[in-house]
Amino acid sequence: MAAETFSLLMFGSACIFLLAGFPVAFTLAGNALLFAGIGMLVADFDATFLSAYPQRIFGIMTNDVLIAVPLFIVMGVMLERSKVAEELLDTMAMLFGRLRGGLGISVSVVGALMAASTGIVGATVVTMGLLALPTMLRRGYDPALACGSICAAGTLGQIIPPSIVLVLLGDVISAAYQTAQLNQGIFAPESVSVADLFAGGLIPGLLLVGVYILYQILMAWLRPETSPAVPRDEGGPVGGAFVVMVLNALIPPIVLIVAVLGSILGGIATPTEAAAVGAVGSLLLAGQRLNSGRGAAVLVGAFSLIGVLVLTSFVDLRLARDTIPVAGLAGIAVAALLCAGVVWGTTVALMRAHESGILGDVARSTARITSMVFVIVIGAQLFSLVFRGFGGDDVVHELLSGLPGGAFGAMVVVMTMMFFLGFFLDFIEITFVVVPIVAPVLLTMGLDPVWLGIMMALNLQTSFLTPPFGFSLFYLRGVAPASVTTMHIYKGVIPFVLMQIVCLGLVAWFPALATWLPKVVFG
């Protein structure tokens, strides 16, 4: 049997094992070892491919970009555990609730803010399912519309930076882009970074939020019985007290979002450094929320953190220099004082988080999610090596290159395949199994790497919503009241899946939606 046939059998068997429910990481690695052993016996498989596996694992361990993953997870879990999402949701419900469809708009707005703060779909969907769904049902919202709104808003963390998907996808796309250039004979290849994908995902993400809100408005206009307004005579702060409450709920998360994304887009920090800023900022925000009556130390830490970012953008703070001017020494001294303020505020916030029991939960959740991601990455590396050893990359290249329509036809086929795989597979599985196989071929055809990455990210976002195995649907099903059926959830997400497909088509038709901002920011 030809080695190329083994590559197709290997990919197909991996999909079958995954659908059967076997653990992802062990399925990828075990399936690869099984076929490598069979290949050495009957298909002339070159075992030297396996000798590159330790170097690949070492490359993962020393990859600075992937350090951002646990840091962003800390940021998201800390904000979720410290009730920031709960406060945001309550405030937005009071702000928009008196409008017909206002609660649905509130869910979309809070989903966008939580996406830019956490990037963790499960935490956002569960939090809003516990807080918003009972309120929407009690106010007379259609169960399907309420469920669809919450599931869709929770998945915004997949495309709006800082997104774990964009971090992982950025690393894969970067490697694929360099491979594509080397295949073209370019031995000084350009690179694409996670920061490029962060900038590229911002406009499509906001476009998606706008489409969701427009849908809520249209439903309230066309079918007012599905999304009634909250009665105006219900209690709550009014006047200046209400304004203060809104500002108190909105300003801290927005400042954190600006600090993280602004430091990346402004060139002040790398995504990994910005993730560290986000982790520290979320801890300070949690410390303030846990004991707002004694917030001096936490406020000092927060303002000191912002001061360090601002100072970094104007002053060269490097110590490893032959000559440091007087202005530089003064800036370093100020930075040292600001760092002391950050340490003080962080220490106080850590003590409060520990005393409230949040810190242990955050540490356990972070360790569990991070280990899951990296074990899958390690298993996928072995799968990729064996697949290439069987010549699978050549098979995919010939298949996509031979399609009618050239790069456009190949792109349509890949996007369609990823969409249907999303019905059954998780985004991490698709990212590390499918993308490394098809991305080098598509990039060799001349596609823009940032545009390709954002298209794939938007496509992967649908994997959380598509029945029957969309993770967002399971998250909501686990916390929904008994009156909400699974069919309500499935029925509710279908319009939002269609909206995501429309947005995917818009980005495909107008690539500048994904490529304009990275070019403006990073040239």
mmCIF file of all heavy atoms in Angstrom, residues 90 93-99 103 134-141 228-239 242 245:
data_model
loop_
_atom_site.group_PDB
_atom_site.id
_atom_site.type_symbol
_atom_site.label_atom_id
_atom_site.label_comp_id
_atom_site.label_asym_id
_atom_site.label_seq_id
_atom_site.Cartn_x
_atom_site.Cartn_y
_atom_site.Cartn_z
ATOM 1 N N ASP A 90 -25.587 43.118 35.305
ATOM 2 C CA ASP A 90 -26.645 43.825 36.038
ATOM 3 C C ASP A 90 -26.739 45.279 35.586
ATOM 4 O O ASP A 90 -27.833 45.828 35.394
ATOM 5 C CB ASP A 90 -26.382 43.767 37.545
ATOM 6 C CG ASP A 90 -26.573 42.368 38.108
ATOM 7 O OD1 ASP A 90 -27.222 41.546 37.428
ATOM 8 O OD2 ASP A 90 -26.066 42.089 39.206
ATOM 9 N N ALA A 93 -28.099 45.580 32.012
ATOM 10 C CA ALA A 93 -29.533 45.270 31.996
ATOM 11 C C ALA A 93 -30.340 46.476 32.439
ATOM 12 O O ALA A 93 -31.401 46.777 31.882
ATOM 13 C CB ALA A 93 -29.813 44.066 32.902
ATOM 14 N N MET A 94 -29.850 47.213 33.434
ATOM 15 C CA MET A 94 -30.543 48.426 33.869
ATOM 16 C C MET A 94 -30.433 49.538 32.841
ATOM 17 O O MET A 94 -31.326 50.364 32.689
ATOM 18 C CB MET A 94 -29.976 48.890 35.214
ATOM 19 C CG MET A 94 -30.491 48.081 36.386
ATOM 20 S SD MET A 94 -29.998 48.777 37.962
ATOM 21 C CE MET A 94 -28.586 47.780 38.337
ATOM 22 N N LEU A 95 -29.302 49.558 32.102
ATOM 23 C CA LEU A 95 -29.074 50.621 31.123
ATOM 24 C C LEU A 95 -29.943 50.441 29.879
ATOM 25 O O LEU A 95 -30.528 51.408 29.376
ATOM 26 C CB LEU A 95 -27.596 50.646 30.739
ATOM 27 C CG LEU A 95 -27.134 51.789 29.828
ATOM 28 C CD1 LEU A 95 -27.340 53.130 30.503
ATOM 29 C CD2 LEU A 95 -25.665 51.603 29.459
ATOM 30 N N PHE A 96 -30.034 49.190 29.383
ATOM 31 C CA PHE A 96 -30.773 48.934 28.144
ATOM 32 C C PHE A 96 -32.116 48.245 28.363
ATOM 33 O O PHE A 96 -32.912 48.141 27.419
ATOM 34 C CB PHE A 96 -29.943 48.037 27.208
ATOM 35 C CG PHE A 96 -28.687 48.672 26.694
ATOM 36 C CD1 PHE A 96 -27.452 48.278 27.186
ATOM 37 C CD2 PHE A 96 -28.734 49.658 25.730
ATOM 38 C CE1 PHE A 96 -26.282 48.851 26.720
ATOM 39 C CE2 PHE A 96 -27.569 50.238 25.257
ATOM 40 C CZ PHE A 96 -26.345 49.841 25.750
ATOM 41 N N GLY A 97 -32.362 47.757 29.570
ATOM 42 C CA GLY A 97 -33.520 46.900 29.793
ATOM 43 C C GLY A 97 -34.854 47.547 29.500
ATOM 44 O O GLY A 97 -35.821 46.857 29.164
ATOM 45 N N ARG A 98 -34.959 48.860 29.637
ATOM 46 C CA ARG A 98 -36.241 49.522 29.399
ATOM 47 C C ARG A 98 -36.576 49.643 27.919
ATOM 48 O O ARG A 98 -37.671 50.063 27.570
ATOM 49 C CB ARG A 98 -36.227 50.914 30.051
ATOM 50 C CG ARG A 98 -36.159 50.836 31.578
ATOM 51 C CD ARG A 98 -36.080 52.184 32.231
ATOM 52 N NE ARG A 98 -36.006 52.065 33.686
ATOM 53 C CZ ARG A 98 -35.888 53.092 34.516
ATOM 54 N NH1 ARG A 98 -35.824 54.323 34.022
ATOM 55 N NH2 ARG A 98 -35.836 52.904 35.808
ATOM 56 N N LEU A 99 -35.646 49.300 27.051
ATOM 57 C CA LEU A 99 -35.920 49.236 25.626
ATOM 58 C C LEU A 99 -36.428 47.844 25.275
ATOM 59 O O LEU A 99 -36.051 46.857 25.906
ATOM 60 C CB LEU A 99 -34.652 49.513 24.815
ATOM 61 C CG LEU A 99 -33.939 50.849 25.050
ATOM 62 C CD1 LEU A 99 -32.614 50.850 24.296
ATOM 63 C CD2 LEU A 99 -34.807 52.006 24.611
ATOM 64 N N LEU A 103 -32.601 43.605 26.967
ATOM 65 C CA LEU A 103 -31.837 42.578 27.670
ATOM 66 C C LEU A 103 -30.965 41.793 26.695
ATOM 67 O O LEU A 103 -29.835 41.423 27.013
ATOM 68 C CB LEU A 103 -32.785 41.632 28.417
ATOM 69 C CG LEU A 103 -33.505 42.221 29.640
ATOM 70 C CD1 LEU A 103 -34.436 41.177 30.255
ATOM 71 C CD2 LEU A 103 -32.511 42.718 30.658
ATOM 72 N N PRO A 134 -32.229 33.301 33.505
ATOM 73 C CA PRO A 134 -33.442 33.348 34.336
ATOM 74 C C PRO A 134 -34.158 34.696 34.262
ATOM 75 O O PRO A 134 -35.391 34.742 34.236
ATOM 76 C CB PRO A 134 -32.902 33.073 35.751
ATOM 77 C CG PRO A 134 -31.619 32.350 35.534
ATOM 78 C CD PRO A 134 -31.042 32.932 34.296
ATOM 79 N N THR A 135 -33.405 35.793 34.220
ATOM 80 C CA THR A 135 -34.017 37.122 34.127
ATOM 81 C C THR A 135 -34.759 37.283 32.810
ATOM 82 O O THR A 135 -35.900 37.790 32.780
ATOM 83 C CB THR A 135 -32.931 38.208 34.252
ATOM 84 O OG1 THR A 135 -32.242 38.043 35.487
ATOM 85 C CG2 THR A 135 -33.538 39.595 34.183
ATOM 86 N N MET A 136 -34.147 36.865 31.698
ATOM 87 C CA MET A 136 -34.791 37.001 30.391
ATOM 88 C C MET A 136 -36.059 36.158 30.313
ATOM 89 O O MET A 136 -37.083 36.599 29.781
ATOM 90 C CB MET A 136 -33.812 36.604 29.284
ATOM 91 C CG MET A 136 -32.580 37.495 29.215
ATOM 92 S SD MET A 136 -31.342 36.943 28.008
ATOM 93 C CE MET A 136 -32.050 37.619 26.494
ATOM 94 N N LEU A 137 -36.023 34.949 30.864
ATOM 95 C CA LEU A 137 -37.214 34.099 30.848
ATOM 96 C C LEU A 137 -38.308 34.682 31.728
ATOM 97 O O LEU A 137 -39.498 34.653 31.377
ATOM 98 C CB LEU A 137 -36.845 32.688 31.322
ATOM 99 C CG LEU A 137 -35.868 31.908 30.434
ATOM 100 C CD1 LEU A 137 -35.530 30.569 31.071
ATOM 101 C CD2 LEU A 137 -36.446 31.695 29.035
ATOM 102 N N ARG A 138 -37.910 35.235 32.874
ATOM 103 C CA ARG A 138 -38.893 35.821 33.780
ATOM 104 C C ARG A 138 -39.565 37.045 33.161
ATOM 105 O O ARG A 138 -40.733 37.342 33.443
ATOM 106 C CB ARG A 138 -38.200 36.201 35.096
ATOM 107 C CG ARG A 138 -39.166 36.588 36.206
ATOM 108 C CD ARG A 138 -38.481 36.698 37.544
ATOM 109 N NE ARG A 138 -37.470 37.746 37.558
ATOM 110 C CZ ARG A 138 -36.161 37.514 37.633
ATOM 111 N NH1 ARG A 138 -35.724 36.263 37.679
ATOM 112 N NH2 ARG A 138 -35.305 38.516 37.659
ATOM 113 N N ARG A 139 -38.842 37.771 32.307
ATOM 114 C CA ARG A 139 -39.389 38.960 31.649
ATOM 115 C C ARG A 139 -40.195 38.614 30.401
ATOM 116 O O ARG A 139 -40.689 39.516 29.728
ATOM 117 C CB ARG A 139 -38.253 39.908 31.248
ATOM 118 C CG ARG A 139 -37.419 40.410 32.397
ATOM 119 C CD ARG A 139 -38.240 41.171 33.381
ATOM 120 N NE ARG A 139 -37.434 41.691 34.477
ATOM 121 C CZ ARG A 139 -37.946 42.163 35.611
ATOM 122 N NH1 ARG A 139 -39.246 42.168 35.787
ATOM 123 N NH2 ARG A 139 -37.148 42.611 36.570
ATOM 124 N N GLY A 140 -40.311 37.337 30.069
ATOM 125 C CA GLY A 140 -41.143 36.942 28.942
ATOM 126 C C GLY A 140 -40.410 36.773 27.630
ATOM 127 O O GLY A 140 -41.045 36.698 26.567
ATOM 128 N N TYR A 141 -39.078 36.706 27.658
ATOM 129 C CA TYR A 141 -38.317 36.498 26.425
ATOM 130 C C TYR A 141 -38.581 35.099 25.859
ATOM 131 O O TYR A 141 -38.795 34.145 26.617
ATOM 132 C CB TYR A 141 -36.820 36.663 26.680
ATOM 133 C CG TYR A 141 -36.291 38.047 26.401
ATOM 134 C CD1 TYR A 141 -36.665 39.119 27.200
ATOM 135 C CD2 TYR A 141 -35.442 38.297 25.338
ATOM 136 C CE1 TYR A 141 -36.187 40.406 26.955
ATOM 137 C CE2 TYR A 141 -34.954 39.562 25.078
ATOM 138 C CZ TYR A 141 -35.335 40.616 25.884
ATOM 139 O OH TYR A 141 -34.875 41.871 25.633
ATOM 140 N N PRO A 228 -39.725 41.498 25.251
ATOM 141 C CA PRO A 228 -40.395 42.665 25.855
ATOM 142 C C PRO A 228 -39.424 43.525 26.655
ATOM 143 O O PRO A 228 -38.346 43.080 27.051
ATOM 144 C CB PRO A 228 -41.449 42.027 26.754
ATOM 145 C CG PRO A 228 -40.890 40.679 27.090
ATOM 146 C CD PRO A 228 -40.128 40.244 25.875
ATOM 147 N N ALA A 229 -39.861 44.762 26.894
ATOM 148 C CA ALA A 229 -39.061 45.692 27.684
ATOM 149 C C ALA A 229 -39.318 45.475 29.174
ATOM 150 O O ALA A 229 -40.361 44.959 29.585
ATOM 151 C CB ALA A 229 -39.399 47.125 27.302
ATOM 152 N N VAL A 230 -38.352 45.881 29.996
ATOM 153 C CA VAL A 230 -38.513 45.851 31.454
ATOM 154 C C VAL A 230 -39.384 47.037 31.855
ATOM 155 O O VAL A 230 -39.157 48.166 31.374
ATOM 156 C CB VAL A 230 -37.147 45.921 32.159
ATOM 157 C CG1 VAL A 230 -37.313 45.993 33.666
ATOM 158 C CG2 VAL A 230 -36.300 44.723 31.768
ATOM 159 N N PRO A 231 -40.409 46.844 32.708
ATOM 160 C CA PRO A 231 -41.271 47.969 33.109
ATOM 161 C C PRO A 231 -40.464 49.124 33.703
ATOM 162 O O PRO A 231 -39.505 48.926 34.439
ATOM 163 C CB PRO A 231 -42.198 47.338 34.153
ATOM 164 C CG PRO A 231 -42.207 45.882 33.824
ATOM 165 C CD PRO A 231 -40.850 45.573 33.288
ATOM 166 N N ARG A 232 -40.879 50.350 33.372
ATOM 167 C CA ARG A 232 -40.144 51.534 33.818
ATOM 168 C C ARG A 232 -40.299 51.805 35.309
ATOM 169 O O ARG A 232 -39.482 52.499 35.910
ATOM 170 C CB ARG A 232 -40.625 52.765 33.047
ATOM 171 C CG ARG A 232 -40.238 52.746 31.577
ATOM 172 C CD ARG A 232 -40.696 54.016 30.885
ATOM 173 N NE ARG A 232 -40.236 54.066 29.512
ATOM 174 C CZ ARG A 232 -39.048 54.541 29.144
ATOM 175 N NH1 ARG A 232 -38.229 55.022 30.058
ATOM 176 N NH2 ARG A 232 -38.699 54.545 27.880
ATOM 177 N N ASP A 233 -41.364 51.275 35.926
ATOM 178 C CA ASP A 233 -41.618 51.597 37.331
ATOM 179 C C ASP A 233 -40.845 50.707 38.300
ATOM 180 O O ASP A 233 -41.020 50.803 39.517
ATOM 181 C CB ASP A 233 -43.115 51.497 37.638
ATOM 182 C CG ASP A 233 -43.678 50.115 37.291
ATOM 183 O OD1 ASP A 233 -42.928 49.298 36.730
ATOM 184 O OD2 ASP A 233 -44.864 49.874 37.576
ATOM 185 N N GLU A 234 -39.978 49.826 37.783
ATOM 186 C CA GLU A 234 -39.211 48.975 38.689
ATOM 187 C C GLU A 234 -38.097 49.774 39.341
ATOM 188 O O GLU A 234 -37.542 50.700 38.763
ATOM 189 C CB GLU A 234 -38.643 47.780 37.925
ATOM 190 C CG GLU A 234 -39.719 46.819 37.460
ATOM 191 C CD GLU A 234 -39.180 45.446 37.140
ATOM 192 O OE1 GLU A 234 -37.955 45.254 37.288
ATOM 193 O OE2 GLU A 234 -39.978 44.573 36.765
ATOM 194 N N GLY A 235 -37.743 49.370 40.543
ATOM 195 C CA GLY A 235 -36.753 50.108 41.318
ATOM 196 C C GLY A 235 -35.360 50.033 40.745
ATOM 197 O O GLY A 235 -35.063 49.289 39.833
ATOM 198 N N GLY A 236 -34.480 50.836 41.333
ATOM 199 C CA GLY A 236 -33.097 50.904 40.890
ATOM 200 C C GLY A 236 -32.586 52.323 41.008
ATOM 201 O O GLY A 236 -33.366 53.279 41.139
ATOM 202 N N PRO A 237 -31.316 52.536 40.983
ATOM 203 C CA PRO A 237 -30.757 53.880 41.093
ATOM 204 C C PRO A 237 -31.234 54.755 39.934
ATOM 205 O O PRO A 237 -31.490 54.288 38.833
ATOM 206 C CB PRO A 237 -29.238 53.642 41.010
ATOM 207 C CG PRO A 237 -29.049 52.201 41.330
ATOM 208 C CD PRO A 237 -30.276 51.512 40.860
ATOM 209 N N VAL A 238 -31.353 56.035 40.211
ATOM 210 C CA VAL A 238 -31.760 56.998 39.192
ATOM 211 C C VAL A 238 -30.822 58.190 39.265
ATOM 212 O O VAL A 238 -30.130 58.414 40.261
ATOM 213 C CB VAL A 238 -33.222 57.456 39.395
ATOM 214 C CG1 VAL A 238 -34.187 56.306 39.172
ATOM 215 C CG2 VAL A 238 -33.426 58.039 40.781
ATOM 216 N N GLY A 239 -30.818 58.966 38.190
ATOM 217 C CA GLY A 239 -30.049 60.205 38.184
ATOM 218 C C GLY A 239 -28.557 59.983 38.297
ATOM 219 O O GLY A 239 -27.967 59.087 37.690
ATOM 220 N N PHE A 242 -27.211 56.528 39.348
ATOM 221 C CA PHE A 242 -27.180 55.531 38.273
ATOM 222 C C PHE A 242 -25.966 55.731 37.372
ATOM 223 O O PHE A 242 -25.318 54.767 36.967
ATOM 224 C CB PHE A 242 -28.466 55.629 37.456
ATOM 225 C CG PHE A 242 -28.543 54.651 36.331
ATOM 226 C CD1 PHE A 242 -28.615 53.286 36.579
ATOM 227 C CD2 PHE A 242 -28.524 55.078 35.014
ATOM 228 C CE1 PHE A 242 -28.681 52.374 35.542
ATOM 229 C CE2 PHE A 242 -28.581 54.175 33.968
ATOM 230 C CZ PHE A 242 -28.671 52.820 34.235
ATOM 231 N N MET A 245 -22.969 54.380 39.119
ATOM 232 C CA MET A 245 -22.964 52.913 39.104
ATOM 233 C C MET A 245 -22.498 52.381 37.749
ATOM 234 O O MET A 245 -21.703 51.431 37.674
ATOM 235 C CB MET A 245 -24.360 52.390 39.419
ATOM 236 C CG MET A 245 -24.446 50.865 39.557
ATOM 237 S SD MET A 245 -26.131 50.267 39.696
ATOM 238 C CE MET A 245 -26.713 50.567 38.028
#
